[in-house]
Amino acid sequence: MRTLNTNEMTQQFDNMFMAPARAYMALSVDYTEKMINAQMDASKAYFDTGVAQMRQVMNVKDAEGLRSYMESQQKVAKELAERAKGDADKVVSLQQDFIQKSQKITEDNVKQAQTAASKMSKTA
């Protein structure tokens, strides 16, 4: 009669289910942190730009000041468009990195399961 080795079963359970789950959760937490930081950085930059624009318009006192303010708006619009493009590129890059790493975790887990299944079929 075969004895039941609970330590081996526990180790196999950990290797097959818990270790990949921990790896995926660590990846998810890291991804979430990076996304939130990117969003906070973008929000701060947009807020700062908005406040600067409000301060600038409050200083308009004559037609020349208004003309100067309106001319500066083209530069601000261009900078905001570039910032938005950069922020979008950053988000896409973070998402692609997350997808690649999660696929790697899945592939590694499948390989490990196939190896374990092969070992079990040979010992059975």
Side-chain angles (χ1 to χ4, degrees):
M1 180 176 223
R2 212 170 152 183
T3 59
L4 190 61
N5 186 346
T6 58
N7 288 338
E8 185 178 327
M9 287 175 56
T10 302
Q11 185 63 38
Q12 286 178 350
F13 179 78
D14 186 68
N15 290 342
M16 295 292 291
F17 299 105
M18 297 309 294
R22 282 191 299 271
Y24 184 76
M25 283 303 298
L27 179 64
S28 295
V29 168
D30 191 42
Y31 169 73
T32 301
E33 180 182 26
K34 288 176 183 176
M35 285 294 288
I36 289 172
N37 285 335
Q39 290 173 345
M40 288 175 36
D41 290 346
S43 295
K44 174 101 172 82
Y46 298 133
F47 175 79
D48 289 346
T49 299
V51 169
Q53 291 305 297
M54 287 187 278
R55 290 188 192 286
Q56 192 176 10
V57 79
M58 288 186 332
N59 291 328
V60 172
K61 295 187 179 23
D62 56 16
E64 180 60 30
L66 180 60
R67 185 185 64 73
S68 176
Y69 172 77
M70 295 306 286
E71 287 174 356
S72 72
Q73 292 307 292
Q74 292 176 356
K75 180 183 174 195
V76 170
K78 182 180 177 186
E79 289 172 357
L80 286 174
E82 289 172 2
R83 172 70 197 222
K85 182 186 180 316
D87 291 341
D89 290 344
K90 186 174 188 176
V91 167
V92 168
S93 174
L94 287 171
Q95 290 173 337
Q96 288 174 340
D97 185 54
F98 176 78
I99 289 168
Q100 289 171 352
K101 288 180 179 176
S102 62
Q103 285 175 338
K104 175 85 168 93
I105 290 170
T106 302
E107 289 169 5
D108 291 347
N109 192 37
V110 167
K111 287 178 186 174
Q112 187 175 3
Q114 288 173 337
T115 302
S118 176
K119 283 182 183 178
M120 288 177 76
S121 67
K122 288 179 182 176
T123 59

